[in-house]
């Protein structure tokens, strides 16, 4: 959120930083900084090779090592994720202990089944009055998908076939919204924030065909959703490998604003208070989704 550094005419160093407050801080002690005498440091060829290997390992995204197996099965919703998705791979991820998530997926010839079990002290509260803005206003569950297996796996921008399915509590009723940055069928909408004034998306639609069951409990909730494959432009078959992600947004205690974004694959989700950066898709940070029999 900005800042500045100033060296005064008297040689004093100050920096200014902050968000809801601005702090003018003087840096002291620099007069004690001194050069350490000694011999030159020598890097041999093997040192350079070792450093390059360490750098590559540190930069290797988590998504390159993960895979979600999505089995072929019809699912009946009871609110019990473990029982309803018996035999399925159950994802577990969290940024905080009190915001832990379990998630699962399955598919049959017409439907994609998704489930999220979420720890939340103020469960399933969202302050949005516009369905397009639920992702910004509190609790939602999220599924992101690259439906085109031929798309560049390392792309930083969304391409044709990439989508985000967001499900939230819209004034007491569950609602599902599909966002597509690039789409053949246009339902355009423009988003804006303090940093990016205009961020157009080719298509943003409310998905009326989704079947959603909400099960609330003390300090948590479970969402189970049945999404027609046709609405996701998805044609799965055994052995098909795509990329995608599953996540959750958590609202603050007032239920009016998203304060935590937690995802299985994409870890670049620290930004809040910005409507565009919270919306953007990052396919390069997604992991493998493998459809199985």
């Amino acid at each position: 959120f900005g800042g500045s550094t100033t060296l005064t005419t008297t040689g004093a160093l100050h920096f200014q930083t902050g968000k809801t407050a601005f702090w003018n801080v003087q840096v002291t002690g620099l007069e004690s900084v001194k050069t350490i005498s000694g011999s030159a440091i020598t890097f041999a060829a093997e040192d350079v090779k070792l450093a390059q290997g360490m750098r590559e390992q540190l930069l290797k995204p988590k998504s390159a090592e993960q895979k979600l197996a999505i089995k072929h099965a019809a699912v009946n919703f009871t609110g019990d994720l473990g029982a309803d998705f018996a035999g399925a791979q159950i994802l577990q991820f969290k940024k905080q202990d009190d915001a832990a998530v379990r998630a699962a997926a399955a598919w049959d010839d017409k439907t994609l089944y998704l489930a999220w079990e979420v720890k939340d002290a103020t469960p399933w509260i969202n302050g949005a009055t516009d369905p397009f803005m639920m992702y910004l206003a509190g609790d939602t569950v999220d599924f992101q998908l690259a439906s085109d297996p031929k798309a560049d796996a390392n792309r930083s921008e969304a391409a044709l076939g990439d989508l985000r399915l967001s499900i939230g509590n819209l004034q007491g009723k569950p609602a599902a919204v599909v966002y597509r940055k690039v789409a053949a069928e246009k339902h355009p909408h423009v988003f804006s924030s303090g940093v990016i004034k205009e961020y157009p998306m080719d298509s943003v639609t409310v998905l009326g065909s989704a079947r959603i069951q909400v099960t609330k409990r003390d300090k948590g909730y479970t969402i189970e959703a049945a999404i027609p494959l046709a609405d996701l432009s998805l044609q799965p078959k055994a052995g098909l490998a795509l990329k995608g992600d599953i996540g959750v947004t958590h609202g603050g205690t007032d239920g009016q604003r998203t304060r935590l974004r937690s995802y299985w694959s994409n870890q670049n989700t620290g930004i809040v208070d910005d409507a565009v950066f919270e919306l953007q898709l990052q396919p390069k940070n997604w992991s493998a989704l493998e459809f199985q029999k």
Side-chain angles (χ1 to χ4, degrees), residues 1-5 15-23 195:
F1 288 90
S4 63
T5 304
F15 69 85
Q16 185 185 74
T17 186
K19 178 189 171 185
T20 55
F22 286 95
W23 300 90
V195 178

Side-chain angles (χ1 to χ4, degrees), residues 49-118:
K49 184 177 181 180
L50 176 61
Q52 288 175 335
M54 294 173 65
R55 180 178 185 275
E56 290 172 1
Q57 185 63 33
L58 289 170
L59 291 177
K60 187 177 181 181
K62 182 180 179 182
S63 58
E65 303 173 354
Q66 296 189 142
K67 179 177 70 174
L68 171 62
I70 304 178
K71 290 190 174 183
H72 187 276
V75 179
N76 294 316
F77 297 160
T78 69
D80 186 334
L81 183 150
D84 296 348
F85 287 79
Q89 179 182 348
I90 306 296
L91 300 178
Q92 299 187 60
F93 54 94
K94 63 182 179 181
K95 279 190 174 179
Q96 299 174 184
D97 289 342
D98 60 354
V101 182
R102 298 172 72 230
W107 67 285
D108 64 21
D109 295 341
K110 295 183 178 181
T111 306
L112 178 67
Y113 302 95
L114 300 166
W116 300 257
E117 182 184 273
V118 184

